Amino acid sequence: MEEKHKLALKQKIISNLKDYGVIWHEKTHKVLVEDFREVQRKLAEQTNSKG
């Protein structure tokens, strides 16, 4: 996979995570979650709406 494609994919994943309230901290390479329950709620909503 070429670097340009990898970077675009990474940005898309980070953007999608941000929609759920999950932040990628680039310097520490860690995921930050401000409100874990809210993230769980959004994920459950998304998962259950596909059924």
Side-chain angles (χ1 to χ4, degrees):
M1 187 181 292
E2 68 179 72
E3 285 303 311
K4 199 175 190 180
H5 184 66
K6 284 183 184 179
L7 184 58
L9 186 57
K10 179 181 176 182
Q11 290 304 319
K12 184 172 180 153
I13 291 169
I14 289 171
S15 176
N16 286 342
L17 287 172
K18 196 173 186 180
D19 291 342
Y20 288 97
V22 178
I23 308 295
W24 173 252
H25 192 269
E26 190 66 40
K27 288 183 181 180
T28 61
H29 295 275
K30 291 184 180 180
V31 172
L32 304 174
V33 178
E34 201 170 289
D35 185 348
F36 190 72
R37 287 182 186 221
E38 182 66 12
V39 172
Q40 284 181 309
R41 185 190 66 73
K42 288 179 180 179
L43 286 171
E45 229 174 55
Q46 183 69 22
T47 301
N48 293 332
S49 70
K50 290 183 177 179

